[in-house]
Amino acid sequence: VPSLSVSAHSVPSIGKALVRILRAPKEIAYVVLVSVYTLAQEIPAIFRPFITDFYIKSDDPLCNRLLKLQILTCIFSPEQSAILLRELQSNMRHTDGAFVSAAVRAVGRVVDVDPATAPEVLDGACVRACVCYMCGIYIYMQRISCIYRAGLRALHSLNPPPPLTLT
């Protein structure tokens, strides 16, 4: 990927224009988010003033939510980490497992960039939300396992396996 060369005068207007386009229909917003993510990897500062525009909305499709998480963890500054962690914590209550997993990974990226936030994450609601989510997965898997075992028992009672013969 070639390096981007942007004049200092055009930098703020690029970020502002792309953020404005995000209000378009969701299909267009996805294309814009991909462009924003690409730019944010090279020049994250142009999107920092607009960090709240990348917060996840309840009607965002999964692909847009996942991209927004990537963008948020790419553009935030250490001064914004506490606010971003609160936003990510609210995302951990979502019902979509893939999205919650991505939010947990995003918290890890925030701590990687700003290690000073580690005590807040470890003592705070982020860990409780992660544990609750993981307990929910464990309980769900236990239920599936019980159903599977019950199904096997029912199957064996209808058609028992042949006895083992030793030769």
Side-chain angles (χ1 to χ4, degrees):
V1 175
S3 180
L4 299 172
S5 61
V6 179
S7 70
H9 174 67
S10 65
V11 166
S13 60
I14 291 171
K16 187 175 182 178
L18 285 171
V19 168
R20 192 177 313 126
I21 298 172
L22 280 177
R23 296 179 185 96
K26 292 169 188 13
E27 299 80 14
I28 295 171
Y30 176 77
V31 174
V32 173
L33 286 169
V34 170
S35 300
V36 166
Y37 181 59
T38 303
L39 278 170
Q41 290 175 324
E42 294 287 327
I43 319 167
I46 65 175
F47 298 107
R48 282 191 186 127
F50 312 105
I51 194 165
T52 57
D53 290 295
F54 299 103
Y55 285 177
I56 284 75
K57 295 175 181 65
S58 61
D59 63 339
D60 282 341
L62 178 62
C63 56
N64 288 9
R65 282 185 269 147
L66 295 175
L67 263 172
K68 283 182 174 184
L69 286 176
Q70 292 287 340
I71 292 167
L72 284 169
T73 57
C74 188
I75 67 172
F76 86 98
S77 64
E79 296 81 33
Q80 298 167 315
S81 59
I83 295 167
L84 181 56
L85 284 172
R86 280 194 296 276
E87 175 66 17
L88 294 173
Q89 174 186 330
S90 70
N91 294 326
M92 289 184 196
R93 295 184 193 103
H94 201 276
T95 57
D96 186 337
F99 177 63
V100 173
S101 295
V104 170
R105 287 190 301 274
V107 168
R109 288 192 300 272
V110 171
V111 173
D112 280 345
V113 171
D114 187 9
T117 60
E120 179 182 339
V121 169
L122 293 174
D123 293 336
C126 283
V127 168
R128 286 191 298 279
C130 290
V131 168
C132 289
Y133 174 70
M134 297 310 283
C135 287
I137 289 175
Y138 176 75
I139 291 168
Y140 178 74
M141 294 306 291
Q142 290 289 38
R143 287 181 185 156
I144 297 251
S145 177
C146 288
I147 292 168
Y148 176 74
R149 284 193 304 268
L152 281 179
R153 281 193 301 272
L155 183 64
H156 286 286
S157 69
L158 295 175
N159 187 12
L164 292 176
T165 57
L166 298 173
T167 57

